[in-house]
Amino acid sequence: MRNLALLVLLAIGLALAALPRIERYFIAETAAREEATLRLATASLRGALARSEALPALLAERPILSEILRDPDNEGLLPFANEQLRQTALTLELADIFVMDLRGNTIAASNYRREASFVGRNFAYRPYFTDALSLGRGRFHALGVTSGQRGYYFAAPIIDNTELLGVVAVKIHLDTFEQTWRDGDNTIIVMDSSNVIFLSDREEWHFNTLGPIPDGARGRIAATRQYPLDQLTPLPATREPLGPTTELLRIGAEEYVTNIGLIAAAGWRVWVLTPTRHAILQARQALASIILVILFAGLVGALFIQRRARLLERFDQQRHHSEVLEARVTERTADLHDANAQLRQEVEERRLTEARLRKTQTDLVQAGKLAALGQMSAALSHEFNQPLAAVKSYADNAATFLDRDRPEEARQNIGLISQMADRMAAISKHLRNFARRPQEKIGPVPLLPVLDDALALMRARLAEVGAEISYDRPEEEITVMGGQVRLQQVLVNLLSNAIDAMEDQEVPVIEISVETRGGRWQVSVRDHGPGLSETSLAQLFDPFFTTKSPGKGLGLGLSISYNIVRDFGGRLAAHNHEGGGAVFTVDLAPASDETEIAAQ
C-alpha cells in the first residue's frame, strides 16, 4: 500500500512538472485555430488595397485634369474640376482625390470645401509623388499632415500625349477595419517594415514600435513626415518563437500567442494576438483531470490490493478448514450435505432476486415510455382543439344547409372540413418535432390571405364571445418568408390567447395591425386584458408555462409558436401596451422574387 501511495505521488509530481508542456500544447492549438482569423484579416486588407490601386491611372486619363494642369489659373475650369473630384470621391467611397503639378503643389482636390483642404499644399516630399513621376505609379501609407487621419495613398502620373504634366493621387481610410476588429476576441495589429504599428484595434498602440527601428528608417520617416516622431516609442514587449509563423508575445502584464501574415505589396505584417489566458485555463483544467484520473487509479489500485489481501487471508482460512475437514470427513459428511443444500438454496434465492431486479428494470423502462407517450398525447390534444372545434362548426353548418335544401353551401362546408383535416395532418407532422426542424424548407407566403384564413377559423369563437376585431387590412400584396400552415397556426394561437385574456369582459376588443419596420413585416395582436407580469414575460415562451387557470391550457401553444417563427428566420415577442393589455408581435422577413416556393 505504501509503494502504491509513493507511485501516485510520483505520477502527480510528473503531471505537475509537465504543466508547461501542456500549456504550450493548448497555446499551439489556439494559434492553429486563429489561422483562419489571420487569413480573413489579410485577405480583407489585400482586397481593400487592390480595389483602389488602379483608380489613379484611370482618373489620370480624364482630359479635365490635363487642362487644369496646363492652365491652373483658369477660374472657370478649376471649380468644375474640384467638384468633379469631390463627386468621384463620394461615388467611389474614397477619402480624398487630389491633383499635383510637377513641383508637388496641389492644384485641385476633392476636399476643396473643407477648412483643411489640400489645395495649395505641397506634397513633393511624399514617396507616392516621387515614385509616380519616376516609376509610373506610387503607393505609400502615412498619417495625413493636413487631415491628421491615417490613410493609404496611390498615385499615377498625368500624361497628355507624351508630355508629363503632374500627378493624381487617391487616399483611402482603413479605420473601418479597426472598428470591425474591436468586435472580436483577438487584438490585430498591422506593422510596416520599420516595425511601426500603423493599424490596430488598440488605439493606444498606434505608432508604437514592436522591435527596434532599422538604421536609417527614422530619418526616412522624418523626411517623408510618415509618422509623428514623438509617438515612435517601443512597447514593453518580449517575444519567444513557437513556430514558423507564431510567437509567444508578452506586452507588460498581458501574454498573447501570435499568428503573423504578410501583405507583400504594402510591406505590411499582420499580427493576430490571441490572449493565452483561455489556453492556460484549459491546460490547468486538463492537468486537474489528469490528477483526478491518477487519484482514481490509485484508489482503484488500493481497493484491489486490499481485496487481494482479504482473498489471500480467506484462502489461508479455507486451506486450514480443508485440512480439518479432511481429518473429520467421515463424521462431517452429513454437515457438509446440509451446508451444500443451504448453499444451493442461497444460489436459488439470489437467482430469483436477480430475476426480480430485471423485471423491475423492465417496468421502469415501460413507465418511462408511458410518461413520454402521455406528454405527446397532451401536446397533440392541445393543438387539435382549435381545428376540431372548426370541424364541428362546419359539420353543424353543413347539416343545417342540407336540412334547408342548400346542397351547394353544404358542399362548401364539407370542403372546409376537408381543409381542416389536412390542417390537422400538417399540425401533427409539425408537433413531432416542434423544437427544431432545420431540414424543412421555407419560402414566400402571402401574409394577408394567411391572416384572413386565421380570422375565418376563429370566426365562430369570436362570435360566441361577442368579440370585436379592429383590423385595417392593407391593400397591397405582402409576401413574407415562412410556411402557410404553420404561420396560420401561430396567428390562430395568438387570437385564441387574446380571447382567453379577456374572458371576464362583456365585449372583448382585439386589435390587429400589419406594418413594416426596418425592412421587415410585423403582425401585432393586442388584447385589452390585464396584461402580463414581469415574471410571466420572463418565461412566457417556456414549455408548459401558462397564465391560464388550471384545466384551460398546457403551456405549449406559445412555446411551439415561438419555435415556428424562429424557423422562419423571424421573432415572436410580447410586451405590455402602455394603454393596457398585452401585445404579441410576429416579426417576419420579406420574400424576394427569386425565392423558391415555401414548404407548407
Side-chain angles (χ1 to χ4, degrees):
M1 189 70 72
R2 181 179 179 182
N3 292 336
L4 177 62
L6 291 175
L7 184 61
V8 169
L9 291 176
L10 177 61
I12 293 175
L14 292 174
L16 292 172
L19 178 59
R21 291 181 176 271
I22 298 174
E23 290 178 348
R24 287 297 181 90
Y25 169 78
F26 280 100
I27 289 174
E29 286 293 308
T30 301
R33 287 196 302 271
E34 296 304 324
E35 279 291 336
T37 304
L38 174 64
R39 288 194 296 270
L40 179 62
T42 54
S44 59
L45 284 171
R46 286 195 189 100
L49 297 179
R51 284 193 299 271
S52 304
E53 185 174 10
L55 292 178
L58 295 175
L59 293 172
E61 297 177 359
R62 292 186 174 181
I64 193 172
L65 302 187
S66 301
E67 293 177 14
I68 62 171
L69 286 172
R70 290 186 182 277
D71 188 9
D73 297 327
N74 190 331
E75 296 181 357
L77 184 62
L78 187 59
F80 178 71
N82 281 328
E83 182 60 22
Q84 192 177 87
L85 292 178
R86 190 182 74 86
Q87 293 294 337
T88 302
L90 291 175
T91 302
L92 299 179
E93 297 182 352
L94 300 174
D96 298 296
I97 305 174
F98 50 103
V99 178
M100 297 163 283
D101 61 16
L102 294 177
R103 294 186 300 275
N105 294 320
T106 303
I107 305 301
S110 61
N111 59 6
Y112 72 97
R113 292 183 176 180
R114 301 178 196 165
E115 183 177 350
S117 172
F118 290 173
V119 176
R121 296 185 178 271
N122 186 282
F123 298 107
Y125 57 86
R126 291 294 202 187
Y128 60 79
F129 174 77
T130 57
D131 289 346
L133 291 178
S134 60
L135 303 177
R137 69 174 182 177
R139 57 194 306 160
F140 191 59
H141 62 277
L143 177 69
V145 295
T146 303
S147 64
Q149 295 179 327
R150 293 164 298 147
Y152 201 95
Y153 300 84
F154 293 99
I158 300 175
I159 301 174
D160 186 11
N161 293 326
T162 59
E163 182 181 0
L164 180 62
L165 300 177
V167 172
V168 60
V170 300
K171 177 183 178 182
I172 61 174
H173 286 160
L174 303 174
D175 298 351
T176 54
F177 290 98
E178 295 177 334
Q179 295 173 3
T180 302
W181 296 341
R182 289 189 185 99
D183 296 333
D185 297 329
N186 305 313
T187 294
I188 299 179
I189 62 176
V190 178
M191 291 197 312
D192 63 9
S193 57
S194 300
N195 294 327
V196 178
I197 298 175
F198 183 65
L199 294 175
S200 175
D201 53 348
R202 297 279 294 269
E203 187 174 350
E204 67 272 17
W205 288 359
H206 289 170
F207 308 121
N208 288 155
T209 62
L210 196 59
I213 298 179
D215 295 338
R218 186 177 291 272
R220 289 193 301 272
I221 293 172
T224 60
R225 304 184 193 178
Q226 186 175 15
Y227 308 126
L229 294 177
D230 58 340
Q231 295 186 31
L232 298 182
T233 57
L235 290 173
T238 59
R239 296 159 62 177
E240 180 182 346
L242 292 178
T245 60
T246 59
E247 293 182 351
L248 195 61
L249 178 66
R250 296 180 182 88
I251 301 178
E254 301 176 84
E255 185 178 67
Y256 305 93
V257 59
T258 69
N259 294 78
I260 307 172
L262 179 65
I263 302 180
W268 286 348
R269 284 169 293 163
V270 181
W271 292 46
V272 176
L273 310 183
T274 306
T276 60
R277 58 181 179 273
H278 183 65
I280 291 175
L281 178 61
Q282 287 182 311
R284 292 176 180 175
Q285 289 174 344
L287 177 63
S289 300
I290 292 172
I291 293 176
L292 288 176
V293 170
I294 293 173
L295 292 175
F296 179 75
L299 178 61
V300 172
L303 292 175
F304 174 77
I305 292 174
Q306 185 179 17
R307 184 173 181 182
R308 184 174 180 274
R310 290 181 179 178
L311 287 174
L312 291 175
E313 181 181 358
R314 187 179 299 174
F315 288 154
D316 290 339
Q317 292 176 357
Q318 288 179 350
R319 185 167 55 252
H320 174 71
H321 290 317
S322 296
E323 292 174 355
V324 174
L325 288 174
E326 288 177 359
R328 302 176 181 177
V329 63
T330 304
E331 60 185 55
R332 298 295 301 272
T333 301
D335 294 337
L336 288 174
H337 182 272
D338 294 340
N340 289 335
Q342 183 178 1
L343 181 61
R344 286 194 296 272
Q345 182 179 359
E346 291 177 356
V347 170
E348 180 65 21
E349 290 177 354
R350 182 170 298 178
R351 186 184 64 79
L352 293 175
T353 301
E354 291 178 353
R356 286 194 296 270
L357 177 60
R358 285 194 295 272
K359 184 177 182 303
T360 302
Q361 291 174 339
T362 303
D363 293 341
L364 287 175
V365 171
Q366 185 64 23
K369 292 180 180 179
L370 292 175
L373 182 59
Q375 293 177 353
M376 183 185 298
S377 300
L380 287 172
S381 66
H382 175 86
E383 292 303 324
F384 281 137
N385 277 340
Q386 295 172 353
L388 286 174
V391 167
K392 183 178 184 306
S393 176
Y394 289 140
D396 293 342
N397 291 342
T400 302
F401 287 138
L402 289 175
D403 293 340
R404 298 177 180 178
D405 196 17
R406 294 160 66 180
E408 187 61 32
E409 294 175 341
R411 185 176 294 105
Q412 292 177 359
N413 275 262
I414 293 173
L416 292 174
I417 291 173
S418 177
Q419 292 178 12
M420 290 300 100
D422 294 338
R423 169 176 164 75
M424 286 189 288
I427 292 174
S428 176
K429 172 186 174 184
H430 301 312
L431 284 176
R432 285 197 297 267
N433 188 13
F434 70 87
R436 194 70 182 161
R437 294 172 299 281
Q439 73 278 8
E440 285 194 344
K441 297 186 297 183
I442 64 171
V445 170
L447 176 61
L448 298 181
V450 172
L451 183 55
D452 293 340
D453 291 344
L455 289 171
L457 288 175
M458 295 296 297
R459 185 177 294 116
R461 189 177 177 195
L462 292 169
E464 179 182 352
V465 299
E468 295 183 359
I469 300 295
S470 175
Y471 173 35
D472 187 8
R473 191 181 190 277
E475 296 181 359
E476 63 181 75
E477 189 65 33
I478 300 172
T479 306
V480 297
M481 296 300 296
Q484 183 170 343
V485 172
R486 290 178 289 165
L487 180 56
Q488 184 185 86
Q489 177 185 353
V490 171
L491 297 174
V492 168
N493 188 49
L494 295 182
L495 291 170
S496 178
N497 287 347
I499 295 174
D500 293 339
M502 298 180 289
E503 59 182 355
D504 297 332
Q505 297 184 13
E506 183 177 351
V507 181
V509 178
I510 301 175
E511 297 181 10
I512 302 174
S513 64
V514 179
E515 56 188 353
T516 178
R517 290 184 180 177
R520 298 174 67 87
W521 285 102
Q522 294 185 348
V523 181
S524 298
V525 178
R526 177 197 172 188
D527 62 59
H528 287 261
L532 299 167
S533 65
E534 292 185 3
T535 303
S536 299
L537 285 171
Q539 51 185 335
L540 191 61
F541 301 110
D542 293 344
F544 301 106
F545 175 79
T546 180
T547 59
K548 300 177 183 178
S549 56
K552 292 190 177 182
L554 296 176
L556 289 174
L558 286 178
S559 176
I560 293 174
S561 299
Y562 180 87
N563 284 278
I564 288 175
V565 176
R566 187 176 63 179
D567 284 346
F568 295 162
R571 182 172 178 266
L572 176 59
H575 67 275
N576 287 320
H577 195 277
E578 60 184 8
V583 180
F584 287 82
T585 302
V586 180
D587 180 273
L588 298 168
S592 60
D593 296 336
E594 293 80 8
T595 312
E596 61 180 297
I597 300 303
Q600 301 301 315

